[in-house]
Structures are given as C-alpha cells and as structure tokens.
PDB file of all heavy atoms in Angstrom:
ATOM      1  N   PRO A  29      11.332  -6.351  29.764  1.00 73.00           N
ATOM      2  CA  PRO A  29      12.619  -7.051  29.701  1.00 73.00           C
ATOM      3  C   PRO A  29      13.676  -6.155  29.072  1.00 73.00           C
ATOM      4  O   PRO A  29      13.370  -5.292  28.240  1.00 73.00           O
ATOM      5  CB  PRO A  29      12.326  -8.272  28.828  1.00 73.00           C
ATOM      6  CG  PRO A  29      11.069  -7.966  28.104  1.00 73.00           C
ATOM      7  CD  PRO A  29      10.322  -6.958  28.913  1.00 73.00           C
ATOM      8  N   PRO A  30      14.943  -6.365  29.468  1.00 79.00           N
ATOM      9  CA  PRO A  30      16.014  -5.515  28.947  1.00 79.00           C
ATOM     10  C   PRO A  30      16.308  -5.758  27.463  1.00 79.00           C
ATOM     11  O   PRO A  30      16.914  -4.924  26.821  1.00 79.00           O
ATOM     12  CB  PRO A  30      17.221  -5.889  29.806  1.00 79.00           C
ATOM     13  CG  PRO A  30      16.899  -7.228  30.373  1.00 79.00           C
ATOM     14  CD  PRO A  30      15.417  -7.315  30.453  1.00 79.00           C
ATOM     15  N   MET A  31      15.889  -6.904  26.944  1.00 78.00           N
ATOM     16  CA  MET A  31      16.127  -7.214  25.531  1.00 78.00           C
ATOM     17  C   MET A  31      14.880  -7.841  24.929  1.00 78.00           C
ATOM     18  O   MET A  31      14.098  -8.479  25.628  1.00 78.00           O
ATOM     19  CB  MET A  31      17.276  -8.211  25.387  1.00 78.00           C
ATOM     20  CG  MET A  31      18.625  -7.652  25.655  1.00 78.00           C
ATOM     21  SD  MET A  31      19.848  -8.919  25.295  1.00 78.00           S
ATOM     22  CE  MET A  31      20.772  -8.853  26.798  1.00 78.00           C
ATOM     23  N   ASP A  32      14.767  -7.689  23.628  1.00 81.00           N
ATOM     24  CA  ASP A  32      13.640  -8.322  22.961  1.00 81.00           C
ATOM     25  C   ASP A  32      13.958  -9.799  22.686  1.00 81.00           C
ATOM     26  O   ASP A  32      15.073 -10.263  22.897  1.00 81.00           O
ATOM     27  CB  ASP A  32      13.286  -7.579  21.666  1.00 81.00           C
ATOM     28  CG  ASP A  32      14.423  -7.570  20.654  1.00 81.00           C
ATOM     29  OD1 ASP A  32      15.388  -8.341  20.812  1.00 81.00           O
ATOM     30  OD2 ASP A  32      14.341  -6.801  19.684  1.00 81.00           O
ATOM     31  N   THR A  33      12.982 -10.522  22.236  1.00 79.00           N
ATOM     32  CA  THR A  33      13.117 -11.958  22.012  1.00 79.00           C
ATOM     33  C   THR A  33      14.214 -12.281  21.000  1.00 79.00           C
ATOM     34  O   THR A  33      14.987 -13.221  21.193  1.00 79.00           O
ATOM     35  CB  THR A  33      11.775 -12.540  21.526  1.00 79.00           C
ATOM     36  OG1 THR A  33      10.761 -12.176  22.460  1.00 79.00           O
ATOM     37  CG2 THR A  33      11.823 -14.045  21.418  1.00 79.00           C
ATOM     38  N   ALA A  34      14.317 -11.512  19.941  1.00 83.00           N
ATOM     39  CA  ALA A  34      15.332 -11.771  18.918  1.00 83.00           C
ATOM     40  C   ALA A  34      16.738 -11.607  19.489  1.00 83.00           C
ATOM     41  O   ALA A  34      17.638 -12.408  19.198  1.00 83.00           O
ATOM     42  CB  ALA A  34      15.130 -10.837  17.729  1.00 83.00           C
ATOM     43  N   SER A  35      16.943 -10.589  20.322  1.00 78.00           N
ATOM     44  CA  SER A  35      18.262 -10.379  20.939  1.00 78.00           C
ATOM     45  C   SER A  35      18.609 -11.520  21.885  1.00 78.00           C
ATOM     46  O   SER A  35      19.738 -12.004  21.914  1.00 78.00           O
ATOM     47  CB  SER A  35      18.297  -9.056  21.697  1.00 78.00           C
ATOM     48  OG  SER A  35      18.116  -7.975  20.813  1.00 78.00           O
ATOM     49  N   LEU A  36      17.641 -11.942  22.686  1.00 75.00           N
ATOM     50  CA  LEU A  36      17.883 -13.066  23.600  1.00 75.00           C
ATOM     51  C   LEU A  36      18.192 -14.348  22.828  1.00 75.00           C
ATOM     52  O   LEU A  36      19.071 -15.122  23.212  1.00 75.00           O
ATOM     53  CB  LEU A  36      16.669 -13.272  24.512  1.00 75.00           C
ATOM     54  CG  LEU A  36      16.455 -12.209  25.577  1.00 75.00           C
ATOM     55  CD1 LEU A  36      15.120 -12.414  26.282  1.00 75.00           C
ATOM     56  CD2 LEU A  36      17.593 -12.207  26.573  1.00 75.00           C
ATOM     57  N   ALA A  37      17.514 -14.585  21.725  1.00 78.00           N
ATOM     58  CA  ALA A  37      17.768 -15.777  20.905  1.00 78.00           C
ATOM     59  C   ALA A  37      19.165 -15.721  20.301  1.00 78.00           C
ATOM     60  O   ALA A  37      19.869 -16.736  20.241  1.00 78.00           O
ATOM     61  CB  ALA A  37      16.716 -15.883  19.808  1.00 78.00           C
ATOM     62  N   ARG A  38      19.584 -14.528  19.869  1.00 79.00           N
ATOM     63  CA  ARG A  38      20.931 -14.379  19.307  1.00 79.00           C
ATOM     64  C   ARG A  38      21.989 -14.673  20.367  1.00 79.00           C
ATOM     65  O   ARG A  38      22.957 -15.388  20.111  1.00 79.00           O
ATOM     66  CB  ARG A  38      21.112 -12.958  18.757  1.00 79.00           C
ATOM     67  CG  ARG A  38      22.441 -12.706  18.068  1.00 79.00           C
ATOM     68  CD  ARG A  38      22.543 -11.274  17.553  1.00 79.00           C
ATOM     69  NE  ARG A  38      22.419 -10.276  18.584  1.00 79.00           N
ATOM     70  CZ  ARG A  38      23.401  -9.931  19.434  1.00 79.00           C
ATOM     71  NH1 ARG A  38      24.566 -10.506  19.360  1.00 79.00           N
ATOM     72  NH2 ARG A  38      23.202  -8.994  20.340  1.00 79.00           N
ATOM     73  N   ILE A  39      21.807 -14.181  21.574  1.00 73.00           N
ATOM     74  CA  ILE A  39      22.761 -14.424  22.658  1.00 73.00           C
ATOM     75  C   ILE A  39      22.783 -15.911  23.026  1.00 73.00           C
ATOM     76  O   ILE A  39      23.844 -16.494  23.237  1.00 73.00           O
ATOM     77  CB  ILE A  39      22.437 -13.535  23.873  1.00 73.00           C
ATOM     78  CG1 ILE A  39      22.784 -12.095  23.531  1.00 73.00           C
ATOM     79  CG2 ILE A  39      23.195 -13.992  25.109  1.00 73.00           C
ATOM     80  CD1 ILE A  39      22.366 -11.085  24.559  1.00 73.00           C
ATOM     81  N   ALA A  40      21.615 -16.530  23.077  1.00 74.00           N
ATOM     82  CA  ALA A  40      21.556 -17.967  23.379  1.00 74.00           C
ATOM     83  C   ALA A  40      22.307 -18.771  22.321  1.00 74.00           C
ATOM     84  O   ALA A  40      23.039 -19.717  22.650  1.00 74.00           O
ATOM     85  CB  ALA A  40      20.099 -18.427  23.470  1.00 74.00           C
ATOM     86  N   CYS A  41      22.166 -18.388  21.071  1.00 73.00           N
ATOM     87  CA  CYS A  41      22.888 -19.072  19.989  1.00 73.00           C
ATOM     88  C   CYS A  41      24.393 -18.900  20.144  1.00 73.00           C
ATOM     89  O   CYS A  41      25.157 -19.860  19.991  1.00 73.00           O
ATOM     90  CB  CYS A  41      22.415 -18.528  18.647  1.00 73.00           C
ATOM     91  SG  CYS A  41      23.168 -19.346  17.227  1.00 73.00           S
ATOM     92  N   LEU A  42      24.823 -17.692  20.473  1.00 66.00           N
ATOM     93  CA  LEU A  42      26.257 -17.439  20.677  1.00 66.00           C
ATOM     94  C   LEU A  42      26.793 -18.250  21.848  1.00 66.00           C
ATOM     95  O   LEU A  42      27.904 -18.793  21.786  1.00 66.00           O
ATOM     96  CB  LEU A  42      26.503 -15.950  20.906  1.00 66.00           C
ATOM     97  CG  LEU A  42      26.292 -15.029  19.708  1.00 66.00           C
ATOM     98  CD1 LEU A  42      26.364 -13.567  20.138  1.00 66.00           C
ATOM     99  CD2 LEU A  42      27.317 -15.314  18.626  1.00 66.00           C
ATOM    100  N   LEU A  43      26.030 -18.352  22.913  1.00 67.00           N
ATOM    101  CA  LEU A  43      26.467 -19.115  24.078  1.00 67.00           C
ATOM    102  C   LEU A  43      26.581 -20.608  23.754  1.00 67.00           C
ATOM    103  O   LEU A  43      27.472 -21.285  24.247  1.00 67.00           O
ATOM    104  CB  LEU A  43      25.522 -18.895  25.256  1.00 67.00           C
ATOM    105  CG  LEU A  43      25.602 -17.531  25.919  1.00 67.00           C
ATOM    106  CD1 LEU A  43      24.515 -17.377  26.967  1.00 67.00           C
ATOM    107  CD2 LEU A  43      26.975 -17.320  26.534  1.00 67.00           C
ATOM    108  N   ARG A  44      25.691 -21.106  22.922  1.00 69.00           N
ATOM    109  CA  ARG A  44      25.770 -22.517  22.535  1.00 69.00           C
ATOM    110  C   ARG A  44      27.032 -22.797  21.724  1.00 69.00           C
ATOM    111  O   ARG A  44      27.552 -23.902  21.745  1.00 69.00           O
ATOM    112  CB  ARG A  44      24.543 -22.923  21.734  1.00 69.00           C
ATOM    113  CG  ARG A  44      23.335 -23.239  22.592  1.00 69.00           C
ATOM    114  CD  ARG A  44      22.246 -23.890  21.768  1.00 69.00           C
ATOM    115  NE  ARG A  44      21.621 -22.979  20.840  1.00 69.00           N
ATOM    116  CZ  ARG A  44      20.599 -22.182  21.107  1.00 69.00           C
ATOM    117  NH1 ARG A  44      20.078 -22.182  22.304  1.00 69.00           N
ATOM    118  NH2 ARG A  44      20.095 -21.388  20.199  1.00 69.00           N
ATOM    119  N   ASP A  45      27.508 -21.799  20.993  1.00 65.00           N
ATOM    120  CA  ASP A  45      28.687 -21.975  20.151  1.00 65.00           C
ATOM    121  C   ASP A  45      30.006 -21.761  20.892  1.00 65.00           C
ATOM    122  O   ASP A  45      31.066 -21.937  20.310  1.00 65.00           O
ATOM    123  CB  ASP A  45      28.634 -21.005  18.957  1.00 65.00           C
ATOM    124  CG  ASP A  45      27.507 -21.353  17.990  1.00 65.00           C
ATOM    125  OD1 ASP A  45      27.029 -22.502  18.028  1.00 65.00           O
ATOM    126  OD2 ASP A  45      27.097 -20.469  17.220  1.00 65.00           O
ATOM    127  N   VAL A  46      29.960 -21.361  22.168  1.00 70.00           N
ATOM    128  CA  VAL A  46      31.183 -21.110  22.924  1.00 70.00           C
ATOM    129  C   VAL A  46      31.884 -22.436  23.196  1.00 70.00           C
ATOM    130  O   VAL A  46      31.286 -23.397  23.657  1.00 70.00           O
ATOM    131  CB  VAL A  46      30.866 -20.382  24.258  1.00 70.00           C
ATOM    132  CG1 VAL A  46      32.085 -20.350  25.161  1.00 70.00           C
ATOM    133  CG2 VAL A  46      30.381 -18.984  23.980  1.00 70.00           C
ATOM    134  N   LYS A  47      33.151 -22.448  22.898  1.00 75.00           N
ATOM    135  CA  LYS A  47      33.960 -23.639  23.097  1.00 75.00           C
ATOM    136  C   LYS A  47      34.247 -23.805  24.587  1.00 75.00           C
ATOM    137  O   LYS A  47      34.747 -22.887  25.228  1.00 75.00           O
ATOM    138  CB  LYS A  47      35.264 -23.468  22.321  1.00 75.00           C
ATOM    139  CG  LYS A  47      36.157 -24.651  22.292  1.00 75.00           C
ATOM    140  CD  LYS A  47      37.377 -24.314  21.439  1.00 75.00           C
ATOM    141  CE  LYS A  47      38.150 -25.518  21.044  1.00 75.00           C
ATOM    142  NZ  LYS A  47      39.261 -25.177  20.160  1.00 75.00           N
ATOM    143  N   PRO A  48      33.930 -24.972  25.157  1.00 81.00           N
ATOM    144  CA  PRO A  48      34.212 -25.165  26.582  1.00 81.00           C
ATOM    145  C   PRO A  48      35.717 -25.187  26.851  1.00 81.00           C
ATOM    146  O   PRO A  48      36.518 -25.536  25.979  1.00 81.00           O
ATOM    147  CB  PRO A  48      33.573 -26.513  26.915  1.00 81.00           C
ATOM    148  CG  PRO A  48      33.277 -27.167  25.620  1.00 81.00           C
ATOM    149  CD  PRO A  48      33.294 -26.118  24.551  1.00 81.00           C
ATOM    150  N   LEU A  49      36.093 -24.814  28.056  1.00 85.00           N
ATOM    151  CA  LEU A  49      37.509 -24.789  28.410  1.00 85.00           C
ATOM    152  C   LEU A  49      38.149 -26.171  28.280  1.00 85.00           C
ATOM    153  O   LEU A  49      39.325 -26.285  27.950  1.00 85.00           O
ATOM    154  CB  LEU A  49      37.691 -24.239  29.825  1.00 85.00           C
ATOM    155  CG  LEU A  49      37.303 -22.769  30.019  1.00 85.00           C
ATOM    156  CD1 LEU A  49      37.473 -22.377  31.476  1.00 85.00           C
ATOM    157  CD2 LEU A  49      38.103 -21.861  29.115  1.00 85.00           C
ATOM    158  N   GLU A  50      37.366 -27.216  28.518  1.00 88.00           N
ATOM    159  CA  GLU A  50      37.893 -28.576  28.374  1.00 88.00           C
ATOM    160  C   GLU A  50      38.335 -28.847  26.938  1.00 88.00           C
ATOM    161  O   GLU A  50      39.309 -29.569  26.712  1.00 88.00           O
ATOM    162  CB  GLU A  50      36.847 -29.612  28.810  1.00 88.00           C
ATOM    163  CG  GLU A  50      36.561 -29.618  30.298  1.00 88.00           C
ATOM    164  CD  GLU A  50      35.572 -28.536  30.733  1.00 88.00           C
ATOM    165  OE1 GLU A  50      35.021 -27.816  29.879  1.00 88.00           O
ATOM    166  OE2 GLU A  50      35.373 -28.396  31.950  1.00 88.00           O
ATOM    167  N   ALA A  51      37.654 -28.259  25.960  1.00 89.00           N
ATOM    168  CA  ALA A  51      38.040 -28.426  24.561  1.00 89.00           C
ATOM    169  C   ALA A  51      39.362 -27.709  24.279  1.00 89.00           C
ATOM    170  O   ALA A  51      40.158 -28.165  23.458  1.00 89.00           O
ATOM    171  CB  ALA A  51      36.940 -27.902  23.634  1.00 89.00           C
ATOM    172  N   ILE A  52      39.609 -26.610  24.966  1.00 92.00           N
ATOM    173  CA  ILE A  52      40.889 -25.914  24.826  1.00 92.00           C
ATOM    174  C   ILE A  52      42.001 -26.805  25.357  1.00 92.00           C
ATOM    175  O   ILE A  52      43.077 -26.914  24.750  1.00 92.00           O
ATOM    176  CB  ILE A  52      40.856 -24.550  25.546  1.00 92.00           C
ATOM    177  CG1 ILE A  52      39.871 -23.614  24.830  1.00 92.00           C
ATOM    178  CG2 ILE A  52      42.241 -23.927  25.609  1.00 92.00           C
ATOM    179  CD1 ILE A  52      39.656 -22.280  25.515  1.00 92.00           C
ATOM    180  N   VAL A  53      41.740 -27.473  26.479  1.00 92.00           N
ATOM    181  CA  VAL A  53      42.724 -28.414  27.030  1.00 92.00           C
ATOM    182  C   VAL A  53      42.996 -29.540  26.027  1.00 92.00           C
ATOM    183  O   VAL A  53      44.140 -29.978  25.863  1.00 92.00           O
ATOM    184  CB  VAL A  53      42.246 -28.970  28.394  1.00 92.00           C
ATOM    185  CG1 VAL A  53      43.156 -30.070  28.899  1.00 92.00           C
ATOM    186  CG2 VAL A  53      42.152 -27.846  29.411  1.00 92.00           C
ATOM    187  N   ASP A  54      41.958 -29.994  25.338  1.00 93.00           N
ATOM    188  CA  ASP A  54      42.139 -31.032  24.314  1.00 93.00           C
ATOM    189  C   ASP A  54      43.038 -30.532  23.183  1.00 93.00           C
ATOM    190  O   ASP A  54      43.888 -31.275  22.683  1.00 93.00           O
ATOM    191  CB  ASP A  54      40.793 -31.473  23.745  1.00 93.00           C
ATOM    192  CG  ASP A  54      39.952 -32.251  24.748  1.00 93.00           C
ATOM    193  OD1 ASP A  54      40.518 -32.741  25.754  1.00 93.00           O
ATOM    194  OD2 ASP A  54      38.731 -32.364  24.526  1.00 93.00           O
ATOM    195  N   ASP A  55      42.852 -29.269  22.771  1.00 93.00           N
ATOM    196  CA  ASP A  55      43.706 -28.695  21.720  1.00 93.00           C
ATOM    197  C   ASP A  55      45.163 -28.683  22.173  1.00 93.00           C
ATOM    198  O   ASP A  55      46.066 -29.003  21.393  1.00 93.00           O
ATOM    199  CB  ASP A  55      43.264 -27.266  21.373  1.00 93.00           C
ATOM    200  CG  ASP A  55      41.934 -27.216  20.642  1.00 93.00           C
ATOM    201  OD1 ASP A  55      41.483 -28.262  20.130  1.00 93.00           O
ATOM    202  OD2 ASP A  55      41.343 -26.120  20.595  1.00 93.00           O
ATOM    203  N   VAL A  56      45.391 -28.321  23.424  1.00 94.00           N
ATOM    204  CA  VAL A  56      46.750 -28.308  23.972  1.00 94.00           C
ATOM    205  C   VAL A  56      47.311 -29.721  23.961  1.00 94.00           C
ATOM    206  O   VAL A  56      48.459 -29.957  23.563  1.00 94.00           O
ATOM    207  CB  VAL A  56      46.757 -27.706  25.399  1.00 94.00           C
ATOM    208  CG1 VAL A  56      48.095 -27.937  26.091  1.00 94.00           C
ATOM    209  CG2 VAL A  56      46.437 -26.215  25.344  1.00 94.00           C
ATOM    210  N   GLY A  57      46.497 -30.687  24.369  1.00 94.00           N
ATOM    211  CA  GLY A  57      46.929 -32.083  24.380  1.00 94.00           C
ATOM    212  C   GLY A  57      47.260 -32.617  22.998  1.00 94.00           C
ATOM    213  O   GLY A  57      48.160 -33.463  22.845  1.00 94.00           O
ATOM    214  N   ASP A  58      46.557 -32.117  21.968  1.00 92.00           N
ATOM    215  CA  ASP A  58      46.855 -32.541  20.592  1.00 92.00           C
ATOM    216  C   ASP A  58      48.278 -32.189  20.195  1.00 92.00           C
ATOM    217  O   ASP A  58      48.886 -32.863  19.360  1.00 92.00           O
ATOM    218  CB  ASP A  58      45.874 -31.896  19.605  1.00 92.00           C
ATOM    219  CG  ASP A  58      44.474 -32.465  19.700  1.00 92.00           C
ATOM    220  OD1 ASP A  58      44.294 -33.532  20.342  1.00 92.00           O
ATOM    221  OD2 ASP A  58      43.543 -31.834  19.146  1.00 92.00           O
ATOM    222  N   VAL A  59      48.809 -31.129  20.775  1.00 95.00           N
ATOM    223  CA  VAL A  59      50.158 -30.668  20.414  1.00 95.00           C
ATOM    224  C   VAL A  59      51.207 -31.169  21.398  1.00 95.00           C
ATOM    225  O   VAL A  59      52.297 -31.584  20.995  1.00 95.00           O
ATOM    226  CB  VAL A  59      50.198 -29.119  20.348  1.00 95.00           C
ATOM    227  CG1 VAL A  59      51.599 -28.620  20.074  1.00 95.00           C
ATOM    228  CG2 VAL A  59      49.227 -28.609  19.298  1.00 95.00           C
ATOM    229  N   LEU A  60      50.879 -31.127  22.683  1.00 94.00           N
ATOM    230  CA  LEU A  60      51.875 -31.458  23.695  1.00 94.00           C
ATOM    231  C   LEU A  60      51.813 -32.919  24.143  1.00 94.00           C
ATOM    232  O   LEU A  60      52.564 -33.317  25.028  1.00 94.00           O
ATOM    233  CB  LEU A  60      51.711 -30.551  24.923  1.00 94.00           C
ATOM    234  CG  LEU A  60      51.895 -29.056  24.675  1.00 94.00           C
ATOM    235  CD1 LEU A  60      51.694 -28.282  25.971  1.00 94.00           C
ATOM    236  CD2 LEU A  60      53.251 -28.759  24.069  1.00 94.00           C
ATOM    237  N   GLY A  61      50.942 -33.711  23.522  1.00 91.00           N
ATOM    238  CA  GLY A  61      50.834 -35.124  23.874  1.00 91.00           C
ATOM    239  C   GLY A  61      52.068 -35.909  23.436  1.00 91.00           C
ATOM    240  O   GLY A  61      53.040 -35.361  22.905  1.00 91.00           O
ATOM    241  N   GLU A  62      52.015 -37.189  23.674  1.00 90.00           N
ATOM    242  CA  GLU A  62      53.160 -38.049  23.373  1.00 90.00           C
ATOM    243  C   GLU A  62      53.458 -38.153  21.887  1.00 90.00           C
ATOM    244  O   GLU A  62      54.595 -38.355  21.488  1.00 90.00           O
ATOM    245  CB  GLU A  62      52.912 -39.449  23.951  1.00 90.00           C
ATOM    246  CG  GLU A  62      52.911 -39.459  25.466  1.00 90.00           C
ATOM    247  CD  GLU A  62      52.689 -40.851  26.026  1.00 90.00           C
ATOM    248  OE1 GLU A  62      52.941 -41.838  25.317  1.00 90.00           O
ATOM    249  OE2 GLU A  62      52.257 -40.926  27.183  1.00 90.00           O
ATOM    250  N   GLN A  63      52.437 -38.038  21.066  1.00 92.00           N
ATOM    251  CA  GLN A  63      52.621 -38.159  19.621  1.00 92.00           C
ATOM    252  C   GLN A  63      52.437 -36.808  18.957  1.00 92.00           C
ATOM    253  O   GLN A  63      51.476 -36.094  19.239  1.00 92.00           O
ATOM    254  CB  GLN A  63      51.615 -39.159  19.062  1.00 92.00           C
ATOM    255  CG  GLN A  63      51.824 -39.472  17.603  1.00 92.00           C
ATOM    256  CD  GLN A  63      50.891 -40.591  17.160  1.00 92.00           C
ATOM    257  OE1 GLN A  63      50.350 -41.329  17.974  1.00 92.00           O
ATOM    258  NE2 GLN A  63      50.707 -40.708  15.860  1.00 92.00           N
ATOM    259  N   ASN A  64      53.370 -36.450  18.084  1.00 92.00           N
ATOM    260  CA  ASN A  64      53.263 -35.184  17.353  1.00 92.00           C
ATOM    261  C   ASN A  64      52.080 -35.228  16.401  1.00 92.00           C
ATOM    262  O   ASN A  64      51.774 -36.280  15.828  1.00 92.00           O
ATOM    263  CB  ASN A  64      54.533 -34.923  16.541  1.00 92.00           C
ATOM    264  CG  ASN A  64      55.728 -34.605  17.397  1.00 92.00           C
ATOM    265  OD1 ASN A  64      55.583 -34.175  18.538  1.00 92.00           O
ATOM    266  ND2 ASN A  64      56.916 -34.813  16.865  1.00 92.00           N
ATOM    267  N   PRO A  65      51.431 -34.096  16.205  1.00 94.00           N
ATOM    268  CA  PRO A  65      50.354 -34.060  15.211  1.00 94.00           C
ATOM    269  C   PRO A  65      50.932 -34.222  13.806  1.00 94.00           C
ATOM    270  O   PRO A  65      52.106 -33.955  13.562  1.00 94.00           O
ATOM    271  CB  PRO A  65      49.737 -32.674  15.402  1.00 94.00           C
ATOM    272  CG  PRO A  65      50.768 -31.854  16.081  1.00 94.00           C
ATOM    273  CD  PRO A  65      51.629 -32.794  16.851  1.00 94.00           C
ATOM    274  N   ARG A  66      50.074 -34.669  12.898  1.00 94.00           N
ATOM    275  CA  ARG A  66      50.523 -34.800  11.500  1.00 94.00           C
ATOM    276  C   ARG A  66      50.740 -33.414  10.901  1.00 94.00           C
ATOM    277  O   ARG A  66      50.027 -32.463  11.218  1.00 94.00           O
ATOM    278  CB  ARG A  66      49.481 -35.550  10.685  1.00 94.00           C
ATOM    279  CG  ARG A  66      49.384 -37.026  11.040  1.00 94.00           C
ATOM    280  CD  ARG A  66      48.425 -37.696  10.101  1.00 94.00           C
ATOM    281  NE  ARG A  66      47.104 -37.116  10.290  1.00 94.00           N
ATOM    282  CZ  ARG A  66      46.024 -37.812  10.585  1.00 94.00           C
ATOM    283  NH1 ARG A  66      46.073 -39.104  10.692  1.00 94.00           N
ATOM    284  NH2 ARG A  66      44.867 -37.205  10.742  1.00 94.00           N
ATOM    285  N   GLU A  67      51.729 -33.324  10.052  1.00 94.00           N
ATOM    286  CA  GLU A  67      52.051 -32.044   9.418  1.00 94.00           C
ATOM    287  C   GLU A  67      50.858 -31.485   8.645  1.00 94.00           C
ATOM    288  O   GLU A  67      50.656 -30.267   8.597  1.00 94.00           O
ATOM    289  CB  GLU A  67      53.258 -32.214   8.489  1.00 94.00           C
ATOM    290  CG  GLU A  67      53.820 -30.908   7.991  1.00 94.00           C
ATOM    291  CD  GLU A  67      55.094 -31.090   7.185  1.00 94.00           C
ATOM    292  OE1 GLU A  67      55.760 -32.132   7.311  1.00 94.00           O
ATOM    293  OE2 GLU A  67      55.412 -30.153   6.417  1.00 94.00           O
ATOM    294  N   SER A  68      50.044 -32.349   8.080  1.00 94.00           N
ATOM    295  CA  SER A  68      48.867 -31.897   7.321  1.00 94.00           C
ATOM    296  C   SER A  68      47.830 -31.216   8.226  1.00 94.00           C
ATOM    297  O   SER A  68      46.952 -30.511   7.738  1.00 94.00           O
ATOM    298  CB  SER A  68      48.225 -33.077   6.596  1.00 94.00           C
ATOM    299  OG  SER A  68      47.777 -34.051   7.525  1.00 94.00           O
ATOM    300  N   GLU A  69      47.936 -31.414   9.545  1.00 94.00           N
ATOM    301  CA  GLU A  69      46.992 -30.820  10.491  1.00 94.00           C
ATOM    302  C   GLU A  69      47.507 -29.519  11.107  1.00 94.00           C
ATOM    303  O   GLU A  69      46.772 -28.870  11.862  1.00 94.00           O
ATOM    304  CB  GLU A  69      46.702 -31.809  11.629  1.00 94.00           C
ATOM    305  CG  GLU A  69      46.064 -33.102  11.179  1.00 94.00           C
ATOM    306  CD  GLU A  69      45.946 -34.106  12.317  1.00 94.00           C
ATOM    307  OE1 GLU A  69      46.735 -34.029  13.285  1.00 94.00           O
ATOM    308  OE2 GLU A  69      45.054 -34.957  12.232  1.00 94.00           O
TER     309      GLU A  69
END
C-alpha cells in the first residue's frame, strides 16, 4: 500500500473534520439572512 495504517487513519480523521459545503452556505445565511446576527457573535 502507498501509505501505512497510521497515515491512512490520520487522513480519514482529517476528512471527517472537513466542513461540508452546505455548512458554508449556512454561515453565509447567518449573515445575509433576514435578521442580523447578534453583535456578540
């Protein structure tokens, strides 16, 4: 195999932590939605 088990596990962990594009759209909606975000946020 091109990588050992530890390297593959590290990559799998990184992939699980990747934010889906839909979540980016949600972030945009938090700002551009009808209601302004709270200043504390």
Side-chain angles (χ1 to χ4, degrees):
M31 287 185 231
D32 61 14
T33 306
S35 297
L36 289 172
R38 184 180 59 78
I39 289 173
C41 183
L42 291 171
L43 288 174
R44 279 191 290 273
D45 292 340
V46 169
K47 186 178 195 176
L49 294 177
E50 291 82 5
I52 293 175
V53 173
D54 291 342
D55 290 344
V56 169
D58 289 346
V59 176
L60 299 180
E62 292 181 22
Q63 186 173 342
N64 290 337
R66 290 185 297 236
E67 191 174 340
S68 62
E69 298 173 335

